[in-house]
Amino acid sequence: MAHSSSSRLVILAALGGNLLVAATKCVAAWISGSSSMLSEAIHSLIDTGNQALLLVGMRRAARPATLAHPFGYGLELYFWTFVVALLIFGLGAGISFFEGVMHILHPQPMAHVLVNYIVLGLSILFEGSVWVMALREFRRHGKGRLGWVEAVQRSKDPTVFTVLFEDTAALAGLFVALVGNVASEMLDMPVLDGVSSIIIAMILAVTATFLARESQSLLTGEGVAPEVLAALRRMALSARGVDRLNEIRSMHFGPRDVLVVISIDFHNTLSAGDVEATVSDLERQIKKTYPEVTRVFIEAQDNRSQPPAAS
């Protein structure tokens, strides 16, 4: 619950900030006529909508299980994260690219550039503070000692790394917009403002592609980490009366909602009562060691009817 609350706090901070920054950027883009500033305004508006969608996903994923959905609605969080990635790519990158091309084809000198500098500077400060919050949250609950790419790929909570990647893309876009504005004014080349808008579109496209890939992997069913699977295997093999582990399967239905299915071949000398006691003890041990495992199904079955154990 504490992890969920801290993730929601990061999302709320990003949502409120993006909404305020988006409004400011819209005014600055209207005053100056800057293509890159308009792209940044669109970027912030889309980010605001994305935070709202993540909150919707978290709320819907928390609904209790029903007869129609016996394993709950945890996968909805991954679905809404995938929708967020599509919006970043389709709207953010698409509109920014269109604006950049139009500004290159029909360059117009910017007016009141100082307004852009002020807005971009303040936006960098605020986005930077939200980025630091998201980074701390990711380090606390997701990264550990892993590398950045590996940590994202192994993370099962898309709310944290989605906000982190969005804010990283936002900061990169702000710096590109600032450089584009400065270069356009210093070199008297309005076309460079359009070029910076296209670069922002490319940043958004890369971010969206990476997020879509990760959320798609989660949505189609990821198992526990290899070290967790190895530990579960050791627990099963060390349980009383176990002759052989036939197979073990796991799947994340949410960041803190894991299903584990184990097929075990017990010694033929064990009574039905002994098997039941071993199964109960093993289930309690697994849930105590890994609280995120909410469901454990253990099947007693002759190994001759099973394929080799999963690696």
Side-chain angles (χ1 to χ4, degrees):
M1 289 297 292
H3 178 29
S4 177
S5 299
S6 58
S7 297
R8 185 175 284 105
L9 179 61
V10 171
I11 294 174
L12 286 171
L15 188 152
N18 281 325
L19 185 60
L20 180 61
V21 170
T24 307
K25 288 177 180 177
C26 284
V27 174
W30 178 70
I31 293 175
S32 66
S34 169
S35 173
S36 58
M37 180 59 77
L38 181 58
S39 294
E40 276 300 304
I42 294 169
H43 183 182
S44 294
L45 283 172
I46 293 172
D47 280 353
T48 302
N50 289 343
Q51 316 309 329
L53 288 178
L54 288 177
L55 290 174
V56 169
M58 292 179 70
R59 183 174 180 178
R60 292 181 64 85
R63 289 179 297 168
T66 63
L67 289 176
H69 293 85
F71 290 104
Y73 293 84
L75 290 174
E76 280 218 32
L77 178 59
Y78 301 150
F79 167 76
W80 288 106
T81 305
F82 188 75
V83 172
V84 164
L86 294 180
L87 287 176
I88 294 175
F89 185 86
L91 292 180
I95 296 176
S96 295
F97 184 81
F98 175 78
E99 279 296 321
V101 170
M102 293 302 294
H103 206 77
I104 290 175
L105 295 176
H106 309 285
Q108 296 291 331
M110 292 182 293
H112 307 288
V113 184
L114 181 60
V115 174
N116 282 0
Y117 295 156
I118 294 174
V119 171
L120 288 172
L122 292 176
S123 297
I124 289 173
L125 288 176
F126 181 81
E127 292 284 1
S129 63
V130 177
W131 181 83
V132 169
M133 287 182 60
L135 179 62
R136 288 175 177 173
E137 182 70 10
F138 183 61
R139 283 179 169 174
R140 184 181 301 117
H141 298 289
K143 185 179 183 300
R145 297 182 178 180
L146 301 174
W148 289 102
V149 175
E150 183 184 5
V152 172
Q153 290 175 337
R154 295 181 62 172
S155 174
K156 302 302 185 289
D157 188 353
T159 58
V160 177
F161 67 72
T162 297
V163 174
L164 179 61
F165 271 67
E166 281 187 346
D167 288 336
T168 302
L171 278 175
L174 287 168
F175 280 111
V176 169
L178 182 60
V179 171
N181 275 251
V182 172
S184 297
E185 183 185 20
M186 297 291 291
L187 301 176
D188 193 23
M189 295 177 62
V191 70
L192 294 179
D193 186 43
V195 172
S196 64
S197 187
I198 291 179
I199 295 175
I200 291 172
M202 294 172 63
I203 293 173
L204 293 177
V206 171
T207 302
T209 301
F210 191 82
L211 288 177
R213 179 180 177 182
E214 294 306 314
S215 57
Q216 179 270 338
S217 179
L218 291 168
L219 188 59
T220 52
E222 283 191 5
V224 296
E227 61 270 18
V228 176
L229 185 63
L232 293 175
R233 183 185 303 280
R234 288 193 297 269
M235 290 181 192
L237 289 173
S238 62
R240 181 169 57 92
V242 173
D243 182 39
R244 174 186 170 91
L245 175 63
N246 295 322
E247 63 176 340
I248 179 170
R249 297 286 186 267
S250 64
M251 178 177 171
H252 270 270
F253 284 87
R256 307 288 295 176
D257 185 7
V258 179
L259 166 69
V260 172
V261 180
I262 305 175
S263 174
I264 295 175
D265 182 13
F266 290 92
H267 291 300
N268 294 331
T269 56
L270 260 65
S271 66
D274 290 335
V275 171
E276 290 177 353
T278 298
V279 167
S280 297
D281 291 342
L282 179 57
E283 181 178 349
R284 282 193 296 268
Q285 182 185 11
I286 290 174
K287 289 185 175 181
K288 181 179 179 180
T289 307
Y290 299 102
E292 66 272 19
V293 177
T294 56
R295 302 175 185 86
V296 180
F297 296 101
I298 302 175
E299 178 186 44
Q301 191 170 16
D302 192 319
N303 73 312
R304 287 174 296 181
S305 63
Q306 288 290 324
S311 59

